[in-house]
Amino acid sequence: AQSVTQPDIHITVSEGASLELRCNYSYGATPYLFWYVQSPGQGLQLLLKYFSGDTLVQGIKGFEAEFKRSQSSFNLRKPSVHWSDAAEYFCAVAPLTGGGNKLTFGTGTQLKVEL
Amino acid sequence: EAQVTQNPRYLITVTGKKLTVTCSQNMNHEYMSWYRQDPGLGLRQIYYSMNVEVTDKGDVPEGYKVSRKEKRNFPLILESPSPNQTSLYFCASRRAGSTNTGELFFGEGSRLTVL
């Protein structure tokens, strides 16, 4: 069964510092990969996705993620964090075939930004 | 404005008292889904629907029912709620097609407490 691991439950960074949130997946083949953000009291919003091709994908709000097949990872990065980036971040995977209905989420990483 | 609307946003109820959480989307999306979010567990899929009159179980369907009589609506029914169904519930939708896999639009969530 597919699974997603986000090893960091909480991360604190200073405003202006760089950010990297880790995501590892376990699946037989390379799945579709996603990052979502959940601001306090809100639903989830898609930040970016990887289907194929260039392993570095750009998303909204200045985020990017890099797919590394050899490490089964899809880490989220941002060069300079803003206070408004404080939120919970979820990595998710879906199988390439027949699994469009089956989006599996990680347990989330809570990001705190210190001013 | 494109949105997924859930009601109620907050509800406190008692064990065994039937309740319905409504979900409506105005984007003409074929696919709709319900998730529950619990601390440390991330989001888990309850039910999903590929289109009108087509529904299927997700990972945690026990104790829930759904219906999809109209394309825009996908209510979640708890026939006899129990305290272990205390959770934050999200409705989500997306367009059909593999290229839209994982590109979910989420509602703002419904926080349910069962006493």
Side-chain angles (χ1 to χ4, degrees), chain A residues 3-25:
Chain A
S3 66
V4 183
T5 302
Q6 294 181 247
D8 303 305
I9 299 174
H10 299 278
I11 282 186
T12 300
V13 300
S14 299
E15 189 175 37
S18 63
L19 170 70
E20 182 169 28
L21 301 182
R22 296 183 291 165
C23 173
N24 293 94
Y25 66 89

Side-chain angles (χ1 to χ4, degrees), chain A residues 34 36 38 49 100-102, chain B residues 37 50 59 94 102-104:
Chain A
F34 309 87
Y36 280 84
Q38 183 181 25
K49 64 181 181 183
N101 314 315
K102 184 61 180 167
Chain B
Q37 183 180 19
M50 294 296 293
D59 294 320
R94 66 169 174 82
E103 296 194 42
L104 293 169

Side-chain angles (χ1 to χ4, degrees), chain A residues 1 11 20 32 38 40 43 59 70 72-73 76 80-81 84 101 104 112:
Chain A
I11 282 186
E20 182 169 28
Y32 294 141
Q38 183 181 25
S70 61
S72 296
S73 69
L76 182 70
S80 177
V81 170
S84 60
N101 314 315
T104 300
K112 180 180 176 182

